[in-house]
Amino acid sequence: MDEKKIREAVKMMLEAIGEDPEREGLVETPDRIARMYKEIFEGLDESPEKHLRKVFTVDSDDIVLEKDITFYSMCEHHLLPFYGKAHIAYIPDGKVVGLSKLARTVEVFAKRLQLQERMSAQIADAMMKYVKVKGVMVVVEAEHMCMTMRGIKKPGSKTVTAVARGLFKSEPRLRDEVYRMINME
């Protein structure tokens, strides 16, 4: 990541909106933004494989669901945040992945310029590729700041995406079971 370019761009943006980048409250803003971008876009240089290769042998092929995985991402269309919860359900094929690794996988894809639809599919595809599960379903629900603070201005509206692969794609009853499990208290 080129932090120098980020600092220069932020300074130019401040000038473009009519602000004085040398004003007391703004003088350190370009540096803060550069550090923030390094943190919030760290998924760009990371592969989910490093997290999903930690597996454990099991005899079960029952549904595993990790739900309510909080994430924060940045919309690539407006460079504004979207945030919410991801739910990952899968059917093992002899192996399960460490639970924290599912949350880490969400982070890998969330910490990029992103579209919610793409992020959901990337998580599902990574599970199929690296864990080699019989099926996976990823449901993501998020609030997009580009919908709440600009444009249509509808705070509280949520976007929900659902991606199914393997057995979840071919078996509607399995998808229904995941939705039921997600909504359990």
Side-chain angles (χ1 to χ4, degrees):
M1 186 157 310
D2 191 334
E3 291 182 60
K4 182 179 183 227
K5 274 189 178 178
I6 294 169
R7 286 190 295 274
E8 291 169 5
V10 170
K11 186 175 181 181
M12 288 175 57
M13 184 184 68
L14 290 170
E15 291 170 346
I17 64 171
E19 270 290 357
D20 175 8
E22 300 304 319
R23 182 166 63 78
E24 179 184 25
L26 295 176
V27 74
E28 295 178 19
T29 296
D31 192 50
R32 282 197 281 291
I33 298 293
R35 287 192 316 269
M36 177 186 72
Y37 276 14
K38 188 173 184 176
E39 177 185 341
I40 66 176
F41 295 125
E42 67 188 2
L44 285 168
D45 297 323
E46 196 173 359
S47 168
E49 181 180 15
K50 82 177 195 177
H51 303 297
L52 294 176
R53 66 178 161 208
K54 182 65 174 175
V55 294
F56 306 94
T57 303
V58 293
D59 292 329
S60 170
D61 63 356
D62 294 321
I63 295 173
V64 176
L65 171 65
E66 180 77 16
K67 68 181 198 172
D68 297 331
I69 303 167
T70 302
F71 73 90
Y72 301 89
S73 192
M74 291 288 276
C75 166
E76 68 182 36
H77 293 153
H78 299 100
L79 296 181
L80 287 171
F82 68 95
Y83 56 93
K85 297 189 183 294
H87 315 284
I88 304 172
Y90 70 98
I91 299 173
D93 191 9
K95 304 279 185 197
V96 292
V97 67
L99 295 177
S100 70
K101 306 312 182 195
L102 295 175
R104 291 186 191 283
T105 299
V106 170
E107 288 291 297
V108 165
F109 293 116
K111 291 193 172 208
R112 302 174 178 190
L113 284 175
Q114 198 52 279
L115 296 175
Q116 180 177 331
E117 299 87 343
R118 181 189 314 123
M119 184 178 87
S120 303
Q122 287 172 326
I123 295 165
D125 293 341
M127 288 292 292
M128 293 297 289
K129 180 176 181 178
Y130 298 118
V131 186
K132 299 182 182 3
V133 296
K134 292 180 180 179
V136 64
M137 188 166 165
V138 176
V139 178
V140 175
E141 49 188 299
E143 185 166 341
H144 293 247
M145 295 305 290
C146 57
M147 285 277 296
T148 64
M149 69 180 285
R150 58 152 306 277
I152 193 72
K153 296 184 182 89
K154 295 299 178 196
S157 64
K158 291 210 172 134
T159 301
V160 179
T161 52
V163 173
R165 302 284 189 261
L167 291 177
F168 287 109
K169 189 164 186 80
S170 60
E171 298 286 337
R173 68 175 177 75
L174 291 173
R175 288 193 303 274
D176 290 344
E177 179 66 11
V178 169
Y179 289 128
R180 188 189 67 71
M181 292 170 72
I182 289 170
N183 292 314
M184 288 173 35
E185 289 299 320

